Amino acid sequence: AQPARAFDLRQAFAADPARFEAFSQQAPHVFADLSKNLIDAPTEALLQTLARQCGVTTLRDAMFAGQPINTTEQRQVMHFLLRQPARAAGQAARTWDAELTQVHETLNAMLAYAEQVRADKGITDVVNIGIGGSDLGPQMAVQALAEFAMPGKRLHCVSNVDGHELAGLLARLDAGKTLFLVAS
């Protein structure tokens, strides 16, 4: 593996016409092209070895088996269910059906609430308050979907825990027309 500083993608593609195929991965509803990253086969092998040494595959298997791998809260981790389609009528039972039903009930309730907020002409501003991924994720979604933004709704993200950033925003908003989302 060569240092990333010395890695030249043009040379990597010229030397390996199958680079795109070798560094592309596909799963249901997901495609990742990693060929344009500063990585080569030896680096990938080192990363896979490190993942095995750190127990990533063991934790993955434990997660899918329903074991409580969230050691902070001593509970299961089922984020993958957010990407699973609901079980269709007549479809064979699956291991996670009860949990999957709860996930889809929650997603449907969230969608209904979002539609209610979009339809409410009295709400002009939505403020997301979060730290880390609870701030960065909504910021990314707002930026990525900006061209589909609903006229009359302004979206704001606040992450500074000292209150200064929030105070500056509050001074510009009408509290009676503002919805606050606290993400954790």
Side-chain angles (χ1 to χ4, degrees), residues 23-76:
F23 288 101
S24 296
Q25 300 175 8
Q26 187 156 358
H29 311 290
V30 177
F31 176 77
D33 173 9
L34 305 177
S35 67
K36 294 171 188 76
N37 286 276
L38 303 180
I39 188 172
D40 55 14
T43 302
E44 181 183 37
L46 287 170
L47 289 170
Q48 290 176 350
T49 298
L50 177 62
R52 279 191 301 279
Q53 290 172 348
C54 292
V56 171
T57 54
T58 301
L59 286 170
R60 179 205 57 208
D61 295 344
M63 176 184 72
F64 286 122
Q67 296 174 12
I69 64 170
N70 177 334
T71 56
T72 305
E73 300 174 18
Q74 296 302 313
R75 65 185 183 100
Q76 296 171 317

Side-chain angles (χ1 to χ4, degrees), residues 4-25:
R5 213 174 283 129
F7 196 89
D8 185 316
L9 275 176
R10 290 171 295 222
Q11 289 176 358
F13 274 100
D16 182 6
R19 180 174 174 79
F20 172 77
E21 290 80 16
F23 288 101
S24 296
Q25 300 175 8

Side-chain angles (χ1 to χ4, degrees), residues 135-156:
D135 172 58
L136 295 172
Q139 275 191 58
M140 184 268 317
V142 167
Q143 290 176 12
L145 301 173
E147 78 175 86
F148 304 104
M150 187 168 204
K153 302 276 191 229
R154 291 182 300 260
L155 304 172
H156 314 273

Side-chain angles (χ1 to χ4, degrees), residues 80-152:
F80 61 91
L81 291 178
L82 293 168
R83 291 176 284 287
Q84 291 290 319
R87 183 173 160 212
Q91 188 178 26
R94 297 178 289 197
T95 305
W96 298 99
D97 278 342
E99 292 85 354
L100 187 61
T101 297
Q102 288 179 323
V103 165
H104 280 277
E105 286 172 357
T106 300
L107 290 173
N108 290 337
M110 290 169 60
L111 177 59
Y113 183 68
E115 289 172 346
Q116 180 183 346
V117 169
R118 282 193 284 271
D120 188 335
K121 303 290 186 216
I123 297 174
T124 59
D125 293 271
V126 177
V127 178
N128 181 80
I129 302 173
I131 297 173
S134 296
D135 172 58
L136 295 172
Q139 275 191 58
M140 184 268 317
V142 167
Q143 290 176 12
L145 301 173
E147 78 175 86
F148 304 104
M150 187 168 204

